[in-house]
Amino acid sequence: MHKRQECIDVGSEYCPCYLAETNNCIICSQLQRNEFCDCNWRGVCIYQDFLMNGSKIKQQRDYYKSKIIDIREIGNDSYVLKFKVSKTLARQLKEPGSYVFLRNEELPQYFDVPMSVMQSDTIDGTITIAFKTVGAKTSSLKKCKEDILVKGPYWNGVYGLKNLKSMKEKTCLVLARGISQAPTLLALEKLVKNKNKVILVLDRGSIGEIFIYDYIDEMEIETYEEDLMSEKGRSLVKQLILKENISLVYSAGSDLLHMNVIKILDELGVDPYLSVTNNNEICCGEGICGGCTVRLRDGTRTKTCKTQVDSRKIIERRVLLD
């Protein structure tokens, strides 16, 4: 049976992309070297759009030189970085799952590092991200003084985006651990805007700090603080799920945290919608290099930098089968 996949870029100004030009389009069967049309896309025909553009890709994402406004330390080798961007880019990065590639302008392109957007200010045209230094790429970011190179927008930083964005007037449980508090902020803004009751459990994680309190101060959120990887943390999550009619669980942290959440849901016999942060290795963000490709349990190969995948399937593959 043909497994249909969802591309995060479909219908955007960046579609058709390089994958269409090389007959590897995620959506369009005719741009997969097939002679028939068998896509599940209801927007403007990708194949027709490609032909009308002279069988060429549309203009793709480029680098911007951005002025650094502020960089401050928030915990164990962790920092919050705020920089100036165009208001258009800020608007494009306002949705949950948004991320950009950042690089010290003095270094070559293979120092590009994907970073989730924590906050996007469309009025002032600024982006705020948080990062922990764990290697050469992230360590190079804290050395930036005045300017930084930015490439974006990208949007596949969260799996289960459709359910997260469409959730309205329901009760949602949000779990955020360590540096993954950063991508949680845009998700919280979306859930609160859609009039959901939001229950938030924060975990200091390895950075040893809760750094989003100032950003959520004016939001109506029921907040707890606990080690989510401990038995006490698991017990708290179970209690909240049993007490409340949870329609969506959002897990921000490592794949082990995601797996623990899945196990809790299975133990309790409940099946809310599940959204999780994308922890796969992302290199180019365009589906070209193959560094992010994962083979699911059913044999389907998926480019995780561009493709929306069922949260359970991707976590089971990465935790149980690796």
Side-chain angles (χ1 to χ4, degrees):
M1 180 179 178
H2 176 64
K3 301 294 183 182
R4 300 183 187 274
Q5 300 189 58
E6 297 180 35
C7 178
I8 198 70
D9 287 341
V10 66
S12 75
E13 61 192 277
Y14 305 107
C15 174
C17 68
Y18 289 110
L19 294 179
E21 198 171 66
T22 58
N23 289 315
N24 289 284
C25 181
I26 294 171
I27 300 291
C28 178
S29 58
Q30 290 180 283
L31 292 172
Q32 296 170 357
R33 299 187 179 89
N34 294 321
E35 296 181 357
F36 56 89
C37 177
D38 183 30
C39 75
N40 61 337
W41 171 238
R42 295 180 179 86
V44 175
C45 175
I46 302 170
Y47 185 60
Q48 183 68 22
D49 209 6
F50 182 68
L51 294 180
M52 291 294 290
N53 200 46
S55 298
K56 296 180 181 179
I57 64 171
K58 290 188 177 178
Q59 182 176 352
Q60 295 301 293
R61 302 167 176 92
D62 205 352
Y63 291 93
Y64 301 85
K65 185 175 180 179
S66 299
K67 183 175 181 58
I68 294 175
I69 298 173
D70 181 47
I71 182 168
R72 58 185 175 87
E73 190 169 3
I74 55 172
N76 299 328
D77 297 319
S78 301
Y79 303 82
V80 167
L81 172 64
K82 185 177 183 180
F83 49 92
K84 187 75 175 177
V85 296
S86 67
K87 293 183 179 180
T88 298
L89 183 58
R91 175 181 52 79
Q92 292 172 320
L93 294 168
K94 191 69 175 175
E95 293 296 315
S98 297
Y99 70 96
V100 292
F101 280 90
L102 299 179
R103 176 170 31 114
N104 187 319
E105 62 176 339
E106 297 178 356
L107 297 171
Q109 188 173 353
Y110 41 78
F111 274 84
D112 280 3
V113 56
M115 284 289 163
S116 294
V117 173
M118 181 168 76
Q119 187 179 54
S120 177
D121 189 325
T122 57
I123 297 177
D124 293 335
T126 60
I127 295 296
T128 304
I129 63 109
F131 66 96
K132 180 177 175 63
T133 56
V134 294
K137 291 183 178 182
T138 47
S139 295
S140 69
L141 294 182
K142 69 178 182 180
K143 298 177 183 178
C144 298
K145 302 300 181 184
E146 297 183 359
D147 299 301
I148 192 168
L149 289 180
V150 182
K151 186 180 182 182
Y154 295 90
W155 298 295
N156 211 46
V158 171
Y159 294 124
L161 278 174
K162 183 186 295 184
N163 297 323
L164 192 155
K165 291 182 179 181
S166 63
M167 195 62 53
K168 295 182 179 180
E169 300 180 353
K170 302 291 185 180
T171 302
C172 305
L173 177 61
V174 177
L175 312 173
R177 188 168 197 264
I179 202 66
S180 292
Q181 295 169 65
T184 302
L185 192 58
L186 288 178
L188 289 173
E189 289 178 354
K190 174 64 71 173
L191 293 173
V192 171
K193 181 181 179 181
N194 287 341
K195 300 180 180 179
N196 293 287
K197 176 183 177 181
V198 179
I199 303 171
L200 172 64
V201 182
L202 293 169
D203 182 345
R204 295 176 181 270
S206 61
I207 67 171
E209 294 290 338
I210 302 296
F211 59 87
I212 65 169
Y213 277 137
D214 290 342
Y215 299 92
I216 65 174
D217 191 43
E218 297 182 0
M219 297 184 190
E220 293 186 9
I221 298 175
E222 183 180 332
T223 307
Y224 299 84
E225 189 175 327
E226 190 56 76
D227 180 358
L228 289 167
M229 300 302 287
S230 68
E231 191 55 44
K232 190 175 180 181
R234 286 173 52 85
S235 178
L236 174 61
V237 172
K238 287 181 179 180
Q239 290 175 21
L240 292 172
I241 292 174
L242 290 173
K243 178 183 175 182
E244 306 283 348
N245 182 23
I246 302 296
S247 297
L248 175 126
V249 176
Y250 174 87
S251 176
S254 68
D255 285 346
L256 288 177
L257 174 62
H258 301 338
M259 194 70 241
N260 281 342
V261 171
I262 290 173
K263 289 179 179 178
I264 288 173
L265 297 179
D266 291 343
E267 288 174 13
L268 298 178
V270 295
D271 190 26
Y273 290 113
L274 180 64
S275 297
V276 303
T277 48
N278 180 354
N279 298 321
N280 288 274
E281 294 78 12
I282 295 177
C283 297
C284 72
E286 305 291 348
I288 299 298
C289 69
C292 68
T293 302
V294 170
R295 184 184 293 274
L296 302 180
R297 178 177 284 180
D298 63 5
T300 303
R301 293 175 63 86
T302 182
K303 299 176 184 295
T304 57
C305 69
K306 290 174 72 77
T307 310
Q308 279 287 291
V309 185
D310 181 88
S311 301
R312 281 179 172 267
K313 290 181 179 179
I314 195 71
I315 300 306
E316 287 174 354
R317 173 63 182 86
R318 285 174 60 81
V319 177
L320 299 180
L321 300 183
D322 281 352

